[in-house]
Amino acid sequence: VLRTRLLELASGLSYRAIAEANGISLNTVKTEVSSTLARLQISSRHEIEGAVEAARCRALDGASDDAIYELIRLRFEQLSLA
């Protein structure tokens, strides 16, 4: 779920659009996003959007979603250690 929400947020989807696309409630999306932000120790969805875009730019063509997620996770770990 974490990886999916990261990619959905990064693509600019609204919470409502994410809920409708996944057949879940708006409150479920808000809870999942809040949990994702807390887990990555970041404060806004805009940081996710920027990190995912940066990871995509650096990733090799054809990189999997898992590879992109791993780049993001490592980047936020680096930031939290700094």
Side-chain angles (χ1 to χ4, degrees), residues 53-82:
E53 186 58 33
R56 282 184 174 147
C57 290
R58 288 192 307 267
L60 299 173
D61 287 337
S64 69
D65 289 348
D66 287 334
I68 293 170
Y69 168 71
E70 185 64 15
L71 286 169
I72 294 163
R73 187 185 65 73
L74 290 171
R75 177 66 180 134
F76 281 111
E77 281 182 4
Q78 290 170 351
L79 291 174
S80 66
L81 294 175

Side-chain angles (χ1 to χ4, degrees), residues 20-34:
E20 290 173 3
N22 291 285
I24 57 179
S25 75
L26 183 58
N27 284 336
T28 298
V29 173
K30 289 178 180 179
T31 300
E32 289 176 355
V33 169
S34 177

Side-chain angles (χ1 to χ4, degrees), residues 37-51:
L37 294 175
R39 190 169 173 187
L40 293 173
Q41 299 179 344
I42 58 176
S43 59
S44 78
R45 65 177 285 165
H46 302 290
E47 289 181 66
I48 291 175
E49 292 168 5

